[in-house]
Amino acid sequence: MTQILGNESDNFLIGNLTVATNETIKAFAGNDTLEGIGGRDTLLGGKDDDYLFGGVGNDLLSGDGDSITRNSNGSYSLNSNADKGNDVLIGGKGTDILVGWGDDTLVGGGPNRYSSQLISNLGNDPFATSITPDGQRDTFVALNKDQVDYTLTIADYEVGIDRIDLRAFGVTSVNGFEEIQDKGSFFELKTPTVGQAELVLRINADPSTLTYIA
């Protein structure tokens, strides 16, 4: 797998524009923008606040860390010294895995290339933002690391297609939440405290309609 590496500055890293190539794109520190373009890519934002666009293909996106591991039970973990940022992850077209840790915004579908307008709209109101669905199964994962509380936003969950993995916070069904509030355009959910950390999840779909990984 080809690697594209950034540095400690604010990077704009783009995958192969000519051929669909499986790539690992790592940004390290800085407020970075990563584009996978085509192929089965792994995008890692590293430190600070990053924008990740998976593009076409089945991609793995994490706004944090410079390495990510898939564990034997199908869960994910970041390198031990990873720092969280407030990241925006856009899967694009494909069956993507979007890994959140920190006050991140996750979009399973959306455009395949960087869009400043989308970033602006999501920052203003993610649940009023027009997002093109991709109709393919994306998996949204919430990590529990370093006793950090955070708020995770999922703006375009597709009911009956997508999946959500909240096992790190002890939630494998709608009954696992401590609190559920209907906010009108989204639901706000609180998990139990696990490992001295609590997750607040904001999501566009009714929690009773989600497909949970158990």
Side-chain angles (χ1 to χ4, degrees):
M1 179 176 285
T2 303
Q3 289 202 47
I4 299 173
L5 304 179
N7 52 35
E8 303 298 308
S9 300
D10 297 344
N11 298 143
F12 200 127
L13 305 175
I14 303 177
N16 193 313
L17 291 167
T18 306
V19 180
T21 305
N22 299 339
E23 296 164 321
T24 296
I25 304 178
K26 299 183 182 182
F28 301 103
N31 299 325
D32 307 299
T33 300
L34 284 62
E35 291 190 58
I37 308 297
R40 185 185 296 268
D41 303 311
T42 299
L43 276 59
L44 300 170
K47 298 179 181 179
D48 302 312
D49 304 335
D50 307 304
Y51 305 138
L52 278 59
F53 287 77
V56 178
N58 304 335
D59 306 309
L60 172 60
L61 285 70
S62 171
D64 308 295
D66 54 42
S67 68
I68 187 166
T69 301
R70 188 178 189 273
N71 304 310
S72 59
N73 67 348
S75 64
Y76 289 85
S77 56
L78 297 175
N79 51 293
S80 60
N81 63 340
D83 289 335
K84 72 178 183 68
N86 301 330
D87 307 302
V88 179
L89 280 57
I90 312 294
K93 186 175 179 58
T95 301
D96 303 308
I97 299 169
L98 298 93
V99 179
W101 179 51
D103 295 338
D104 297 341
T105 299
L106 310 185
V107 173
N112 297 316
R113 297 295 307 270
Y114 172 76
S115 168
S116 60
Q117 186 62 62
L118 176 64
I119 294 297
S120 176
N121 292 345
L122 289 171
N124 290 331
D125 184 349
F127 301 107
T129 299
S130 177
I131 300 170
T132 303
D134 65 351
Q136 300 187 54
R137 188 183 73 183
D138 300 309
T139 301
F140 301 95
V141 180
L143 295 187
N144 186 345
K145 178 176 166 53
D146 297 345
Q147 303 177 9
V148 172
D149 298 332
Y150 64 94
T151 298
L152 182 66
T153 299
I154 299 175
D156 74 330
Y157 186 97
E158 293 184 71
V159 173
I161 300 175
D162 293 338
R163 305 185 302 169
I164 190 165
D165 187 349
L166 304 175
R167 289 176 292 173
F169 291 92
V171 175
T172 56
S173 74
V174 66
N175 298 320
F177 294 106
E178 292 284 314
E179 185 178 322
I180 298 175
Q181 295 186 46
D182 184 346
K183 297 289 189 176
S185 60
F186 67 96
F187 286 81
E188 184 172 283
L189 320 170
K190 290 185 179 181
T191 71
T193 298
V194 175
Q196 300 184 51
E198 178 189 72
L199 171 69
V200 175
L201 173 65
R202 306 193 313 156
I203 191 166
N204 63 298
D206 187 319
S208 66
T209 67
L210 305 180
T211 299
Y212 298 86
I213 294 178

